[in-house]
Amino acid sequence: MIKIAIRDDDMNFFTKVEDIKVVYKDFNYFPISFAVVPYVLDVSTKGACLDTKGNREPKDVALNTELVNWVKSEVRKGTCDVLLHGINHNYKFAESGEKLAEMEWRDNEPELAERIKTEKDRLSKLFDYSISCFVAPSNRITKYCLNQVAYSGLNFSGIIPIKPNVNFTVQNLANYVKRWVIRAVYNLPYPGVLKYDNHKEVNACILQSYDYLVKLFKFCCKHDYPMVINVHYWYLRDNPLELEKLRKFVMDFAIPRGAIPVRLSDLLN
């Protein structure tokens, strides 16, 4: 039996509780790991989350009292996990015109670890839940920023890039090789938990085809790995067929075959 988690990114000031309830109403108390943006800001021309597009002032998630109270209630019931999702999730453009995610344009930003730790502690108190994992906006993060995440006392859920973004140690290099060998041989992301020199890390696969999810699930079962699926509530809300694909895989396929629903943070802790 394998452990399975759902990581839902982009919870923020604009998130409506009703949207979350509608999306997950058929998941029967499956614990969802919500990656929360502390001060959402979206001044780029093409934002990631439709609900925040064009927002030019940082909006504190704490001001959405209905959402905060709902999350706290779910935390008490054990049906909710809280992850830190950047600081404001904003994008910036390089001189070349390249669109940079937050943990790319903050590269080499002084005292970034302190800022991350401040938000980790603030949201932990807000939701009455000890946050222990960081998720980079757009799953993109530089070596410097990842080290800052680790210095702040957080583990990481993300996708390893072709260019290594971890310190060069024997252990880290072994992890890097392991992940890319699995991808090269099986055409799958390495799903297991990896221990690096200063943090733990677990990948979250994107919501691809139903057959892809089944293939990854069978691989995880064979090798005793957990499986984490990365989604966005607003995308599932606006795309019923994608939501049904997730529900069908999780509730009709994985759970009946013994998959154990868990919070992502528990995999790392």
Side-chain angles (χ1 to χ4, degrees), residues 50-68:
L50 296 180
D51 295 348
T52 68
K53 187 175 181 180
N55 172 48
R56 296 182 173 275
E57 296 293 334
K59 294 291 178 45
D60 186 354
V61 67
L63 298 179
N64 187 334
T65 55
E66 181 184 5
L67 180 65
V68 171

Side-chain angles (χ1 to χ4, degrees), residues 83-198:
L83 320 172
L84 185 62
H85 195 31
I87 297 172
N88 63 23
H89 206 305
N90 192 33
Y91 295 85
K92 292 188 177 182
F93 291 91
E95 291 183 1
S96 63
E98 178 187 6
K99 187 177 179 180
L100 302 176
E102 183 179 9
M103 289 299 131
E104 293 177 317
W105 62 259
R106 288 192 187 276
D107 191 45
N108 294 318
E109 181 178 294
E111 301 179 350
L112 178 58
E114 183 177 338
R115 293 194 65 180
I116 293 172
K117 185 178 185 304
T118 294
E119 292 311 314
K120 176 194 74 170
D121 293 343
R122 185 177 75 91
L123 294 195
S124 292
K125 183 177 180 180
L126 176 69
F127 294 115
D128 194 22
Y129 184 81
S130 182
I131 296 175
S132 60
C133 183
F134 185 90
V135 175
S138 294
N139 285 308
R140 286 150 55 187
I141 191 167
T142 66
K143 178 180 177 181
Y144 171 82
C145 290
L146 183 54
N147 273 324
Q148 298 302 294
V149 167
Y151 294 153
S152 71
L154 291 167
N155 291 313
F156 183 70
S157 176
I159 300 171
I160 192 170
I162 294 178
K163 181 180 179 180
N165 61 356
V166 294
N167 300 326
F168 284 98
T169 67
V170 173
Q171 181 182 27
N172 292 358
L173 181 60
N175 287 342
Y176 179 84
V177 172
K178 181 187 297 185
R179 294 187 76 161
W180 280 104
V181 166
I182 294 297
R183 184 173 287 279
V185 174
Y186 298 98
N187 195 29
L188 292 170
Y190 179 79
V193 175
L194 292 171
K195 181 175 176 56
Y196 288 89
D197 62 323
N198 54 10

Side-chain angles (χ1 to χ4, degrees), residues 189-241:
Y190 179 79
V193 175
L194 292 171
K195 181 175 176 56
Y196 288 89
D197 62 323
N198 54 10
H199 71 284
K200 290 181 181 179
E201 191 170 310
V202 67
N203 180 69
C205 75
I206 61 175
L207 186 61
Q208 294 193 31
S209 69
Y210 179 82
D211 290 343
Y212 168 86
L213 296 175
V214 169
K215 178 183 177 181
L216 181 57
F217 178 86
K218 291 179 177 179
F219 177 82
C220 291
C221 287
K222 181 178 180 179
H223 298 281
D224 194 27
Y225 291 136
M227 181 175 176
V228 183
I229 306 171
N230 179 207
V231 298
H232 298 79
Y233 73 90
W234 51 268
Y235 181 77
L236 297 176
R237 177 199 65 198
D238 298 341
N239 295 273
L241 293 180

